[in-house]
Amino acid sequence: MRTMLSLDGIRASVDDLVSAAILADGWEEALVHFAMAAGARDAVLMRNEARKMVTAIVTPECARAVADFAAGRTPPNSRYQRIGTHYVGFRIDQDDYSAEELARDPFYQEFLRPNGVFWHANTVLAPGPDEYIELSLKRRVEHGPFQPAERAMLDSVLPELHAVARIAKGVLDAEARGMAGMLGRRGGAIVELDSWGRVLPGQSAGEVDPASPLRILRRRLVAGDRVSQLAVDRAVASAVSRPGRLGVAALTNIEGRRYLLQVHPVPGRARDVFASATALALLVERDRDPAALRPDLTWIRNAYGLTEREAHVAALLAEGLDIEAIAARLKIQPSTARSYLKDALQKTGATRQAELVALLAHV
């Protein structure tokens, strides 16, 4: 039996979505609350091209079905052709299909129905010329279609839902800009990458040092030779994976100058949905004056969230001291220094001491 919708309940669940946008986390739980308040089983927050889903965050019960859809293991979604990309407000199935059309539509009958859902209430949260962000509610077969009165309730919270998309995009972009600003103090070019490791639009090869061993070609970071390209690809893949880890690749240009490519994961869920940078690629020259490359402790703490002691240990390690020498310098036990080092490795995403040294000192 279907639960009667409550506008207060819907508004409370939208508040959860706002919190997820602000915190850049908790999206799945917030979507579950919104789906329940709307009388649906599932909610899918997705970025679409004109006739294709690019990526999505989903409620747990539909995760496998959405993965099958994304992989092309289902009938094509007729909704992409029939409804288009720039509609206003929530649309329900009766707006675009007759009962006879639904009864013979392969997407509804061969994919949705076997997965226990059938009925939709969808809205576009952020339109765009090539891609757009859509929120889809999916109701169980036995609960029947969304009714016009229910659609009216959902439409009443559209301003707040549109704000969710703006807030999420703003928060994610601001965090990426802040991190880029801190990394930029080290010198070298910074390139923003999406969750597939592609260079985000609007960045040109001219933003990478012309003398460098790295270029941007068809939204890809391209090295000068095959071996170096494999190292670049591994570094990028490490940073954009979930959870992301620092990726590092050593490169040399045609003049023999040495460079280090660091690919830093940017924290925050839903970056792929809101087309915000998932990783920042930083290219620096390794043969510069070491004094110019040495970060101060404030920078290390702010960039990676280290404590003062963790930052001291990391900085001294980058200067070439071993654990015993670091412990003596800081007047602590070697075991305590190792504990600080372990925490610093975890917070920076480095897996080995050599990676941490490369991250902080570029040597």
Side-chain angles (χ1 to χ4, degrees):
M1 183 176 178
R2 186 164 61 201
T3 302
M4 294 295 292
L5 303 195
S6 159
L7 184 55
D8 288 342
I10 292 173
R11 291 193 180 282
S13 69
V14 172
D15 288 343
D16 291 338
L17 290 171
V18 172
S19 296
I22 293 172
L23 299 174
D25 201 4
W27 284 103
E28 287 84 355
E29 184 179 358
L31 287 171
V32 167
H33 293 166
F34 185 69
M36 291 177 61
R41 192 194 77 178
D42 303 322
V44 181
L45 179 65
M46 53 191 160
R47 181 156 57 93
N48 293 331
E49 294 176 348
R51 297 188 177 185
K52 178 184 176 182
M53 185 186 77
V54 177
T55 187
I57 297 177
V58 304
T59 47
E61 198 161 351
C62 69
R64 180 174 294 180
V66 172
D68 286 341
F69 175 71
R73 295 190 289 265
T74 71
N77 186 349
S78 60
R79 297 176 60 83
Y80 286 132
Q81 290 78 21
R82 185 173 291 247
I83 300 173
T85 63
H86 298 292
Y87 61 91
V88 177
F90 274 89
R91 293 191 74 86
I92 56 181
D93 300 284
Q94 306 92 295
D95 292 331
D96 303 290
Y97 295 85
S98 67
E100 293 76 15
E101 288 171 326
L102 289 174
R104 62 174 182 266
D105 187 285
F107 180 73
Y108 278 80
Q109 298 297 336
E110 298 172 21
F111 172 56
L112 293 175
R113 186 180 289 276
N115 279 289
V117 294
F118 196 84
W119 309 104
H120 292 81
N122 283 19
T123 190
V124 173
L125 297 185
D130 301 312
E131 296 182 342
Y132 62 101
I133 298 171
E134 187 176 23
L135 177 62
S136 175
L137 294 168
K138 301 183 186 297
R139 179 172 279 177
R140 293 181 183 275
V141 179
E142 62 271 21
H143 287 178
F146 287 88
Q147 299 300 311
E150 295 173 318
R151 190 241 309 271
M153 279 193 194
L154 293 171
D155 280 346
S156 72
V157 296
L158 274 174
E160 290 88 345
L161 291 174
H162 292 158
V164 166
R166 293 194 300 272
I167 292 168
K169 175 70 171 171
V171 167
L172 294 171
D173 285 353
E175 182 144 8
R177 286 195 301 270
M179 188 170 174
M182 287 187 290
L183 292 173
R185 293 175 58 186
R186 313 299 307 278
I190 294 176
V191 177
E192 297 183 342
L193 307 176
D194 68 12
S195 57
W196 290 273
R198 302 173 303 183
V199 176
L200 285 175
Q203 301 172 91
S204 68
E207 294 177 21
V208 177
D209 180 1
S212 82
L214 203 61
R215 296 289 181 270
I216 297 173
L217 181 63
R218 297 188 182 93
R219 296 188 60 188
R220 186 185 184 200
L221 292 178
V222 178
D225 61 82
R226 186 174 182 179
V227 173
S228 297
Q229 186 63 53
L230 290 173
V232 169
D233 290 344
R234 283 195 297 268
V236 170
S238 176
V240 301
S241 61
R242 292 181 180 172
R245 304 190 71 86
L246 170 72
V248 178
L251 304 171
T252 305
N253 74 354
I254 58 175
E255 300 169 354
R257 289 160 56 185
R258 301 184 306 159
Y259 290 79
L260 193 72
L261 173 68
Q262 302 172 355
V263 190
H264 299 258
V266 185
R269 284 283 282 120
R271 289 189 169 276
D272 46 359
V273 171
F274 294 100
S276 185
T278 298
L280 300 176
L282 170 67
L283 186 68
V284 293
E285 190 175 348
R286 300 173 71 186
D287 297 325
R288 290 173 56 191
D289 177 7
L293 296 171
R294 187 176 301 128
D296 59 38
L297 294 179
T298 299
W299 183 90
I300 299 175
R301 290 198 304 268
N302 291 341
Y304 302 104
L306 305 186
T307 66
E308 186 172 353
R309 280 299 198 188
E310 292 163 357
H312 266 109
V313 169
L316 292 173
L317 184 75
E319 289 180 22
L321 278 65
D322 60 22
I323 286 294
E324 286 70 21
I326 291 172
R329 176 81 65 88
L330 299 178
K331 296 181 172 56
I332 58 177
Q333 294 296 318
S335 59
T336 304
R338 290 190 187 92
S339 179
Y340 288 134
L341 175 59
K342 180 180 177 182
D343 291 338
L345 287 167
Q346 182 177 13
K347 290 180 180 180
T348 59
T351 58
R352 305 188 309 274
Q353 291 185 28
E355 284 187 5
L356 184 61
V357 169
L359 174 66
L360 298 181
H362 309 298
V363 298

